[in-house]
Amino acid sequence: MTFFVPSHSGPRRSVTTTVIAMSTSASPTGFPAEPTGGITAGDTVTDRLVEANKRYASDFTDPGMDARPVLGVAVVSCMDARIDLHAALGLELGDCHTIRNAGGVVTDDVMRSLTISQRALGTRSVVLIHHTSCGLESLTEEFRHELELEVGQRPAWAVESFRDVDQDVRQSMERVRTSPFLLHTDDVRGFVFDVTTGLLREIDPA
């Protein structure tokens, strides 16, 4: 579908949301195989991130945006490292709010972020994205019990594991649509991202 939205400068631009393929890095860490830019082999991953930021900041120009997303949409997705969310959805800097957690499930904290996104920052649409081969499909709530045995305290949070990814997307859509805190629940859509093809498959809420 196509949105006509104001650009960050100049006349409005059209943005077409399409289902596209995405590639993943050949490197297990997502970083180049050899250190670059003065990063030594003994540095930690965080050190490499900090050095990369210095290179990024050296050419950085303030885009002059505010915090309100141009497309008025919030995207809730899994934190899985295989999903390059902006590339997969054709999004640019400033287009959307992105909220990510394990599984992309709608937890209390996700509802907190969505509520702030809508009420304080003007978003109206919500896109929910789960994916194939999710790690939560191999976990159970027993995970919390195992943690309790290990550290002597049971986590207050639920694992939110699932066996049927389609049904879990439907549950997430229902949680958003029935929330009393959100101003806009008429445009809530759910999808499953295929990590092998890069394609989105829309889930019927019924």
Side-chain angles (χ1 to χ4, degrees):
M1 54 186 168
T2 301
F3 300 92
F4 288 95
V5 299
S7 66
H8 305 311
S9 63
R12 69 179 185 172
R13 60 188 171 92
S14 65
V15 177
T16 302
T17 300
T18 56
V19 174
I20 61 175
M22 59 174 272
S23 62
T24 57
S25 169
S27 168
T29 64
F31 293 102
E34 295 297 327
T36 59
I39 303 172
T40 64
D43 288 337
T44 67
V45 171
T46 303
D47 291 329
R48 299 180 72 177
L49 295 176
V50 172
E51 289 299 322
N53 172 256
K54 290 177 182 176
R55 295 193 298 275
Y56 169 77
S58 67
D59 296 321
F60 184 78
T61 301
D62 182 358
M65 304 174 186
D66 64 22
R68 299 170 71 88
V70 173
L71 296 182
V73 62
V75 181
V76 180
S77 175
C78 183
M79 65 185 186
D80 193 289
R82 294 169 290 182
I83 304 175
D84 185 347
L85 200 57
H86 277 64
L89 300 177
L91 294 167
E92 299 176 10
L93 181 67
D95 280 345
C96 73
H97 281 157
T98 56
I99 305 164
R100 303 185 72 162
N101 66 14
V105 296
V106 176
T107 60
D108 286 347
D109 192 61
V110 167
M111 288 307 310
R112 165 185 168 272
S113 293
L114 286 175
T115 301
I116 293 170
S117 177
Q118 288 197 358
R119 289 182 174 269
L121 296 165
T123 61
R124 297 183 62 94
S125 301
V126 180
V127 174
L128 305 170
I129 301 177
H130 284 27
H131 67 93
T132 57
S133 303
C134 184
L136 285 191
E137 293 178 275
S138 62
L139 290 176
T140 68
E141 292 300 322
E142 184 69 15
F143 181 72
R144 296 171 69 238
H145 178 64
E146 292 168 355
L147 284 174
E148 182 181 17
L149 292 177
E150 179 182 336
V151 304
Q153 179 179 335
R154 177 172 292 195
W157 38 262
V159 176
E160 295 278 1
S161 59
F162 53 85
R163 291 291 177 267
D164 185 334
V165 65
D166 289 21
Q167 182 56 34
D168 206 66
V169 172
R170 293 188 186 98
Q171 175 176 276
S172 290
M173 284 191 282
E174 184 66 13
R175 286 178 177 177
V176 172
R177 287 174 171 160
T178 59
S179 171
F181 306 112
L182 298 182
L183 295 172
H184 310 289
T185 57
D186 56 318
D187 187 16
V188 179
R189 296 170 65 180
F191 302 84
V192 173
F193 177 85
D194 190 318
V195 297
T196 62
T197 67
L199 294 173
L200 289 176
R201 175 172 57 84
E202 185 156 12
I203 301 302
D204 187 339

